[in-house]
Amino acid sequence: MRFRTSPSPAASAMKNRTSEDLRNEYRLISRERNGGHNTAGAIADQNDIARELESRGEL
């Protein structure tokens, strides 16, 4: 497994999205992962969302 050392390209786009949008996307990814779709990209995206929400003081 390869680990990223920099944020995904989508991470910069997250700065322009509302916190509610980010929380909704996080929930959707969680639902997909619970259904067995555990791709490295989904995990990385979820981590990026969590970092962005944390930087906003909302996690």
Side-chain angles (χ1 to χ4, degrees):
M1 179 181 217
R2 196 180 90 180
F3 293 97
R4 279 195 331 220
T5 56
S6 62
S8 71
S12 61
M14 287 183 201
K15 303 276 184 208
N16 301 324
R17 295 178 60 193
T18 66
S19 296
E20 188 60 31
D21 278 347
L22 293 174
R23 281 192 289 275
N24 286 337
E25 185 170 348
Y26 190 92
R27 282 191 287 270
L28 288 172
I29 293 170
S30 292
R31 195 176 321 156
E32 289 176 0
R33 290 182 64 198
N34 289 338
H37 302 283
N38 289 314
T39 65
I43 295 167
D45 289 345
Q46 209 169 30
N47 288 339
D48 289 342
I49 292 168
R51 274 194 290 278
E52 177 61 26
L53 289 171
E54 188 174 57
S55 74
R56 296 179 185 190
E58 298 186 27
L59 185 66

